[in-house]
Amino acid sequence: MAFRKWSLWDLTSTPFVGLGNFQTLIADPMFGKVMLNSVIWVVCSLVPQLLIGFLIALGLRKKFRFRGLYQAVVFYPWAVSGFLIGILFRWMFNSEFGVVNDLLMRIGIVSKPVPWLANPDLALVAVIVANIWYGVTFFSIMILAALQSVPDELYEAAALDGAGRWQTLTRVTIPTIRSTLVLTVLLRIIWIFNFPDIIYAMTGGGPGDQTQIATTWMIQYTQQGEYGLASALGFIIMGVLVVFTGMYLMLLNRERTS
């Protein structure tokens, strides 16, 4: 389908166009913008998710009262649909009665409601904030599982050598779970790049295509009945995912071998 002219408005004629659909996409001024938005969407979501998830995992590794309850609260978002999370955050960022504006006005950061999802300069920030909140749980789960596999003897040896918290973290903890961190980051890159749910629920790619990423753009083409262009874009997305999946499998195989 990616190599044919498939349009809902003329299904009786589906001629072979070769790479024509790909050329149309790449020549579209939106292509560069969508790819840049996709990179921003992945990087700006991934880094805070990793850092916050790491800190939460470090905190949950220690034994304390009601630790199981805290873990359940932290891990709960992962059980909720991404689309539902998007709807909830759309209400939270609502310019008239959203809780985000209410909190910011109460503590004096803003003096009047901010149109988060209608402002082209802020809409991408709002959807990234929602994605950060949603994805922190994934890193917390994966890193906590890795931390629990670090032998206590390593920490005891580090303490005997006089290592402080920072030295223990950078010379014992992180090197020991480095493989898990790399694999988790790669897996999450694949996931976020192919994750339009939150953006679609919050902004639908708007306003003015400012939050449009590759996967939401593909959905837009599908809704417009341009199945050939949508398939070609899906082909490009699949190519990107295949590259990262190959890297993930290569590192996973190396980890198992070692």
Side-chain angles (χ1 to χ4, degrees):
M1 188 177 284
F3 301 96
R4 289 183 174 275
K5 179 177 174 55
W6 270 91
S7 175
L8 176 65
W9 314 113
D10 188 8
L11 292 176
T12 60
S13 176
T14 58
F16 180 77
V17 293
L19 297 177
N21 287 330
F22 295 90
Q23 292 172 344
T24 301
L25 286 174
I26 295 172
D28 192 320
M30 271 294 294
F31 185 80
K33 182 181 182 63
V34 164
M35 290 303 157
L36 178 61
N37 280 351
S38 299
V39 173
I40 295 173
W41 166 249
V42 172
V43 175
C44 293
S45 298
L46 181 75
V47 175
Q49 286 178 4
L50 172 62
L51 295 177
I52 299 171
F54 199 112
L55 292 175
I56 292 175
L58 286 175
L60 291 176
R61 183 179 182 276
K62 300 175 182 177
K63 293 182 180 178
F64 57 88
R65 197 176 184 186
F66 302 124
R67 185 176 70 161
L69 178 61
Y70 281 102
Q71 287 180 341
V73 172
V74 170
F75 297 162
Y76 174 73
W78 203 242
V80 182
S81 157
F83 189 78
L84 179 58
I85 294 294
I87 293 175
L88 292 175
F89 270 86
R90 187 177 68 190
W91 281 97
M92 290 171 65
F93 278 105
N94 186 284
S95 59
E96 296 181 7
F97 40 80
V99 67
V100 174
N101 276 332
D102 185 55
L103 287 174
L104 293 178
M105 291 173 68
R106 285 177 184 274
I107 59 180
I109 293 180
V110 298
S111 58
K112 58 182 181 181
V114 178
W116 293 97
L117 302 181
N119 188 324
D121 297 325
L122 297 176
L124 190 58
V125 175
V127 296
I128 288 174
V129 168
N131 195 31
I132 290 171
W133 182 85
Y134 184 59
V136 161
T137 300
F138 174 77
F139 278 105
S140 300
I141 294 172
M142 299 298 288
I143 296 173
L144 179 59
L147 289 175
Q148 289 174 338
S149 67
V150 180
D152 291 334
E153 290 78 6
L154 291 179
Y155 292 116
E156 294 171 358
L160 289 175
D161 289 340
R165 289 184 178 180
W166 177 251
Q167 291 173 317
T168 302
L169 176 66
T170 57
R171 298 183 181 182
V172 177
T173 303
I174 292 179
T176 307
I177 65 171
R178 182 176 53 199
S179 299
T180 301
L181 290 176
V182 174
L183 290 171
T184 305
V185 166
L186 277 175
L187 188 61
R188 191 65 187 144
I189 289 174
I190 296 169
W191 207 320
I192 296 176
F193 189 81
N194 192 33
F195 183 60
D197 306 36
I198 287 178
I199 292 180
Y200 190 74
M202 289 182 69
T203 65
D209 292 320
Q210 290 298 312
T211 59
Q212 203 76 269
I213 62 172
T215 45
T216 56
W217 200 29
M218 184 179 68
I219 293 173
Q220 187 181 69
Y221 270 126
T222 305
Q223 291 176 330
Q224 292 171 352
E226 297 295 343
Y227 303 132
L229 292 173
S231 299
L233 186 54
F235 218 86
I236 294 173
I237 294 170
M238 187 177 66
V240 174
L241 295 179
V242 164
V243 171
F244 282 102
T245 303
M247 294 170 61
Y248 174 79
L249 293 175
M250 184 179 67
L251 290 173
L252 185 63
N253 185 53
R254 184 181 299 177
E255 171 70 10
R256 286 174 177 171
T257 304
S258 62

